[in-house]
């Protein structure tokens, strides 16, 4: 399949991961958040490194951070699919939390911040 080839070219290290120990648990976890099979595939193709991130140290804390901002499950899912890099490619402290605080300094409400994050998640990754 061309998507598999594209993903491996983008992140060849993926081939070294155990299907049972690495790939399946992360794919199942993404599905447990509400992503369907096509969204899981799209997420992995966009950012295959997500399969290397620790569930406990990266992925779960990110989701909790998003929910702590007031995001609901569908907004978290939308954010992950749109910009999976936010799931571990960037520091929560340096990027997400700092930018949220900046928006709060400009009197953004939590609802407005959630809307910005779920609509333009890439803004929080740079």
């Amino acid at each position: 399949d061309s998507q598999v080839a594209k993903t491996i070219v983008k992140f060849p290290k993926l081939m070294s991961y155990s299907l049972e120990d690495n790939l399946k648990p992360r794919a199942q976890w993404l599905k447990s958040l509400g992503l369907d099979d096509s969204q899981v595939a799209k997420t992995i193709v966009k950012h295959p490194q997500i399969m290397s991130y620790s569930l406990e140290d990266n992925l779960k804390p990110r989701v909790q951070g998003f929910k702590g901002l007031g995001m609901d499950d569908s907004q978290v899912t939308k954010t992950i699919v749109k910009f999976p890099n936010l799931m571990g490619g960037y520091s929560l402290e340096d990027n997400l939390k700092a930018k949220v605080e900046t928006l709060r300094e400009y009197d953004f409400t939590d609802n407005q911040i959630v809307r910005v994050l779920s609509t333009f998640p890439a803004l929080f990754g740079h």
Side-chain angles (χ1 to χ4, degrees):
D1 180 71
S2 66
Q3 293 295 334
V4 172
K6 185 188 301 185
T7 303
I8 292 170
V9 166
K10 190 185 260 187
F11 189 63
K13 189 174 180 180
L14 195 62
M15 293 294 295
S16 69
Y17 294 143
S18 162
L19 184 63
E20 295 301 320
D21 295 336
N22 298 93
L23 304 179
K24 278 186 180 179
R26 283 156 186 80
Q28 288 299 327
W29 181 78
L30 289 168
K31 289 171 84 171
S32 77
L33 295 176
L35 280 75
D36 61 30
D37 289 339
S38 68
Q39 290 172 315
V40 170
K42 182 177 180 180
T43 300
I44 294 168
V45 168
K46 282 175 100 173
H47 190 66
Q49 294 87 339
I50 199 168
M51 301 307 278
S52 69
Y53 299 148
S54 165
L55 284 170
E56 299 303 322
D57 295 335
N58 295 98
L59 300 175
K60 290 179 181 180
R62 294 299 162 114
V63 168
Q64 291 308 313
F66 296 151
K67 288 183 176 184
L69 292 172
M71 292 179 84
D72 63 30
D73 291 341
S74 69
Q75 290 168 320
V76 170
T77 299
K78 180 179 174 184
T79 300
I80 292 169
V81 173
K82 273 186 151 183
F83 200 68
N85 303 52
L86 283 179
M87 294 306 292
Y90 299 97
S91 162
L92 268 177
E93 288 297 324
D94 294 341
N95 290 297
L96 185 60
K97 289 180 180 177
K99 289 177 181 155
V100 166
E101 289 308 313
T102 299
L103 291 174
R104 286 189 174 133
E105 289 172 14
Y106 287 101
D107 297 322
F108 276 67
T109 67
D110 284 348
N111 285 340
Q112 290 170 321
I113 293 169
V114 166
R115 220 172 318 137
V116 170
L117 180 57
S118 61
T119 306
F120 302 107
L123 294 174
F124 291 83
H126 299 286

